[in-house]
Amino acid sequence: MRIFISSLISGFEQQRAAVRRAVTTLRHEAVMAEDFGAQPTSPQIACLRGLRESDMVILVLGEGYGFVPPGSALSATHQEYREARETKPVLAFLQEGIGPGPEQAAFIAEVQAWEGGLFRGTFRHPDDLQDGVTRALHDVTLANATGPVDEREMMARALAMFSPENRNQALPAMLELVVVGGPGQRILRPAEMEAPQLVEHLEQMALYGDSRLFDRSLGVISGLDGSDLVLRQERGASIRITEQGSVSLRMPLDRPRSARGFDAMSGLVVIEETVKEGIGIALAYAAGVLEKIDRTQRLTHLAIALRIAGAEHRGWRTLAQHAANTTSIQIGHGGMRERQPITSMVRRSVLGLDRTALVEDLLVPLRRQFPTAG
């Protein structure tokens, strides 16, 4: 594989050597602007030609914006990125602790906002960069070797993980989120599913991690349900993990009365901020699970499905709207229609790097399914 290296690092000798070592260690060919030598065309045209002949691009972003060729509004590296992102995978690495100027800050924001064919990481030292590049190249090679991604099959697996809703029984409102990875393959062996260490790690994350799903005042029940590993709390959240690395999470949306005081309207509304927080927690927990069970990132793409169960007759309010009227509620009449799960297909890197945008992309269409409670 031929890899083009594009860089915006001041004093790049150590970083360049680190990237070269990472590339050549995995038996790939590294190509940089300095490798072209004298050319009958301009240096930038020569670089772009070398980029087009490569299979992948490694982009290293530092503080400076770099050289802007005459007649262009973009730096040479910015042009190379624009050229590459339309045709081939880009592995982007951002130096930490920098103070970029306006042009470079805009370039960095553009790279961070793009989701197609892009892996992003950060580094502080050349060794960090070498390790990050080595891992990213290994992951790309491994993912390409495991088989193609079937988005339709992935989404079908995600939707199948939802339990049928019982509309004839009054149930608490639950936020349900499913994350299914692809290409489809077994990630956990049966013995790993039974390992106490895995259960303990998942429980610790759910009780004490940054993405805390469980209520510490409730006990946790864990065990196998068929071949799936399940952790749950009575009248609380639950976690389901499959051998294929799929993650299904359920979280209650109504806080205990002791935590919120008396609220006569609590069973009639869905609070937007509560849902948004829950989606963020669930996505963060799913990211932590995948990092634990699939460190080499064999799963490169994710199918995400989201729904709210047990809230068929509720309206939607923000906290401010609810605080302004806690004694009455007005919801438009009409037949209840089936609310389909909100779905999204993303690259796995989005779960760690663009989670804020992903939360909003799931929240907005979910909110549209509910009537606004007056």
Side-chain angles (χ1 to χ4, degrees):
M1 182 182 291
R2 198 167 194 251
I3 299 176
F4 187 89
I5 302 170
S6 186
S7 169
L8 280 172
I9 296 288
S10 301
F12 183 57
E13 289 302 322
Q14 288 182 304
Q15 285 85 355
R16 180 175 62 182
V19 177
R20 276 195 182 278
R21 285 195 299 270
V23 172
T24 56
T25 296
L26 295 175
R27 298 181 181 179
H28 299 313
E29 178 187 359
V31 180
M32 304 184 71
E34 292 86 347
D35 298 330
F36 294 109
Q39 298 278 340
T41 56
S42 72
Q44 185 60 11
I45 292 176
C47 287
L48 290 174
R49 183 176 298 160
L51 182 148
R52 292 165 189 151
E53 294 172 353
S54 299
D55 302 298
M56 185 182 301
V57 173
I58 294 176
L59 174 65
V60 185
L61 297 171
E63 190 170 88
Y65 186 59
F67 171 69
V68 179
S72 174
L74 302 177
S75 71
T77 303
H78 201 158
Q79 291 181 45
E80 292 162 3
Y81 165 71
R82 290 272 182 92
E83 174 81 20
R85 73 177 189 178
E86 302 301 328
T87 58
K88 56 188 85 263
V90 178
L91 309 181
F93 295 87
L94 174 63
Q95 187 176 21
E96 296 180 3
I98 60 173
E103 291 178 317
Q104 180 66 349
F107 182 19
I108 291 171
E110 178 182 332
V111 172
Q112 292 178 326
W114 184 54
E115 297 179 1
L118 182 68
F119 170 89
R120 291 189 293 276
T122 60
F123 71 96
R124 284 190 175 273
H125 308 291
D127 288 345
D128 298 336
L129 181 59
Q130 180 176 337
D131 291 344
V133 171
T134 300
R135 176 174 175 177
L137 289 175
H138 173 75
D139 293 342
V140 170
T141 302
L142 187 61
N144 290 336
T146 55
V149 173
D150 186 339
E151 294 188 355
R152 182 174 296 180
E153 181 273 338
M154 289 171 59
M155 190 57 70
R157 280 194 286 135
L159 296 175
M161 291 191 71
F162 287 124
S163 300
E165 287 195 73
N166 186 346
R167 296 177 177 273
N168 297 320
Q169 182 179 0
L171 296 172
M174 302 291 287
L175 179 71
E176 301 183 350
L177 184 135
V178 176
V179 177
V180 166
Q185 59 198 290
R186 189 170 74 175
I187 299 299
L188 291 165
R189 294 180 292 108
E192 292 176 307
M193 298 290 284
E194 295 180 352
Q197 296 88 341
L198 177 60
V199 175
E200 182 179 348
H201 180 84
L202 297 175
E203 185 175 326
Q204 289 292 318
M205 283 177 54
L207 284 169
Y208 303 104
D210 294 334
S211 49
R212 183 162 60 90
L213 273 78
F214 283 167
D215 185 338
R216 295 177 190 171
S217 66
L218 300 177
V220 178
I221 303 169
S222 62
L224 292 177
D225 179 14
S227 61
D228 298 349
L229 175 61
V230 177
L231 293 80
R232 62 184 180 87
Q233 294 187 311
E234 292 291 346
R235 303 180 305 279
S238 67
I239 302 163
R240 179 179 293 267
I241 312 293
T242 74
E243 291 182 352
Q244 291 73 38
S246 301
V247 183
S248 175
L249 305 171
R250 301 181 80 242
M251 302 173 58
L253 286 178
D254 296 329
R255 292 176 294 170
R257 176 168 296 189
S258 59
R260 58 176 166 79
F262 179 72
D263 183 352
M265 297 293 106
S266 63
L268 299 177
V269 295
V270 173
I271 301 298
E272 179 170 318
E273 288 82 355
T274 302
V275 176
K276 183 175 183 179
E277 180 185 24
I279 297 173
I281 290 172
L283 289 175
Y285 188 86
V289 172
L290 290 174
E291 182 62 25
K292 172 66 177 178
I293 66 177
D294 184 30
R295 291 186 179 277
T296 59
Q297 298 195 22
R298 288 168 287 174
L299 301 175
T300 58
H301 293 67
L302 303 176
I304 299 175
L306 171 74
R307 74 177 184 182
I308 294 178
E312 289 81 5
H313 302 284
R314 298 195 185 198
W316 188 283
R317 278 179 173 175
T318 65
L319 277 174
Q321 290 170 334
H322 193 55
N325 186 3
T326 60
T327 59
S328 64
I329 186 170
Q330 180 179 353
I331 301 176
H333 295 287
M336 295 299 298
R337 61 179 181 177
E338 186 78 14
R339 294 192 181 110
Q340 298 299 318
I342 305 303
T343 61
S344 180
M345 291 293 309
V346 299
R347 287 185 172 268
R348 178 168 168 176
S349 58
V350 174
L351 201 58
L353 297 168
D354 292 327
R355 195 180 303 145
T356 300
L358 180 57
V359 169
E360 292 180 350
D361 290 344
L362 295 169
L363 176 70
V364 172
L366 184 66
R367 181 184 65 210
R368 292 171 181 166
Q369 293 185 338
F370 288 82
T372 300

